[in-house]
Every structure is written in structure tokens, then in C-alpha cells.
Amino acid sequence: MSRHPEVKWAQRLDKVFITVQLSDSKDSKVNLEPDGVFTFSGSAGSENHHYELKLELFDKVNVEESKVNIGVRSIFCILEKAEKGWWKRLLRGDGKPPHYVKVDWDKWVDEDEDDGTAAGLGDLDLGGMDFSKFGGMGGMDGMGDMGDMGDDNDSDDSDDDELEQEMSNPAKSESAKPEAEVAKEGGVGSSEGKKESAAAAST
């Protein structure tokens, strides 16, 4: 049986912010339709509980300009509204929203405070998040591993170590080279010594 993750939302004149609160999500799939249907599925927890979510948003959205970040603690989406305007609510219909859908007061501003300058992301601290666009990404299927992208640094470090070792090998060969040259020079010296000895003997 699937569960519903907690969802927080806020908006600006031209955007809607949706945060799916699900730590260490696996196999996360996020999809957005132009008519405003937002879906999410994934698993989390030690027992890999399955979570599903379907939200029919208040109005249409621009999928191509919308983007998503699948992080370690949550899935953060910035949805571009198809038409600028203040939504009365997140979801369609006049009924009470589900208990797992809540206002994100950390990102919220009132309509009279949204004078257009806050329509962008300048008033939000995104903490250096890397976003991917919904458009052309096949619904972001299989993007759940984005939260583990930091692990690539380990492989980079190992590559750097190998490179350093490779670079150190020529140094070793160079240090061994003078010994070979000394031995070679010694050999030349000994042959010259033999010639001198032979010349002295002939006289």
C-alpha cells in the first residue's frame, strides 16, 4: 500500500514552489503535465515504503520552463505558471486540501507583497541547488540518484591519486638515470684506462 509524502507549497506571480518532503528517496519519478497535473512516486525508509502523489493544480503550467531538484532530504520543484496571476489555492476544486498538503511559510509572500520584483528567485536561498528541466527529460524518470552525485568526488579523488602516482614514476626513473649514466661513464673510463695501460706497456 502506497503512502502520501508531505507536500509544502508557496507561490509568486509567475511561479509555484512545491517541496515533497521525503528523505533519502529512491527511484524517484516526477512528472508534470501542461494542464497542471503533478505526479510523484518513489520509495524511502529502511523498509522501502512506496510513496505516491498526484496533484491537480489550480491552473495550467509551462512544463518547458519548470524545473526540479531531487535532493537528499526533499524534492524541490519550481513550476512556471502558464499565465501570470495569483492562484487562489494550490489545487483545483473548492474542497478542503488533503492533510499532507501544507503552506510553505518559509517561502511564502502575500499577494500585496509580490510587486513583481519577488517574482524571480532572488528572494530565495536555494543553497546552490542543481536543477533539471521537466521538458525533454521524459518526466524525470530515474532521476532519484541525483542526490548521490556528490559520490563522484570520491572517484575523482582516486583518479587524482593515480595521476599523481603516474607522475611520480618518471621522477623515479629520472632519479635512477644518473646511476645508469654513472655506470656507463664508469665503463668508458675503464676502457680508456685499459688503453692508457696498453700504451704504457708498449713503450
Side-chain angles (χ1 to χ4, degrees), residues 14 16-17 39 81 103 115 130 148:
D14 60 344
V16 176
F17 306 128
T39 56
K81 296 178 180 178
V103 173
D115 57 1
D130 293 326
D148 300 330

Side-chain angles (χ1 to χ4, degrees), residues 47-150:
E47 298 180 3
N48 285 328
H49 292 297
H50 187 66
Y51 291 83
E52 286 185 345
L53 179 70
K54 181 179 180 180
L55 302 176
E56 294 185 0
L57 305 178
F58 182 77
D59 207 346
K60 296 180 181 180
V61 294
N62 186 338
V63 177
E64 296 295 330
E65 295 300 323
S66 300
K67 46 192 177 180
V68 58
N69 170 269
I70 300 180
V72 176
R73 295 180 178 83
S74 63
I75 295 86
F76 180 54
C77 306
I78 302 177
L79 311 184
E80 193 80 15
K81 296 178 180 178
E83 296 182 4
K84 291 184 179 181
W86 201 260
W87 290 4
K88 296 179 180 180
R89 62 186 71 85
L90 175 64
L91 305 177
R92 302 172 193 169
D94 298 327
K96 186 178 180 179
H99 66 89
Y100 51 83
V101 177
K102 303 177 181 179
V103 173
D104 192 342
W105 295 112
D106 292 334
K107 299 181 179 65
W108 188 268
V109 297
D110 292 330
E111 182 175 2
D112 55 359
E113 296 175 353
D114 189 0
D115 57 1
T117 59
L121 303 178
D123 59 330
L124 290 180
D125 180 12
L126 301 180
M129 291 182 179
D130 293 326
F131 287 91
S132 298
K133 288 191 175 183
F134 282 93
M137 295 300 292
M140 299 302 296
D141 288 359
M143 296 300 290
D145 295 335
M146 289 178 65
D148 300 330
M149 290 178 67

Side-chain angles (χ1 to χ4, degrees), residues 6 30-31 58 90 110 148 151 155 175 177 181 184:
E6 180 178 311
V30 187
N31 190 58
F58 182 77
L90 175 64
D110 292 330
D148 300 330
D151 295 342
S155 61
S175 62
K177 185 176 180 180
E181 291 178 351
K184 184 178 180 181

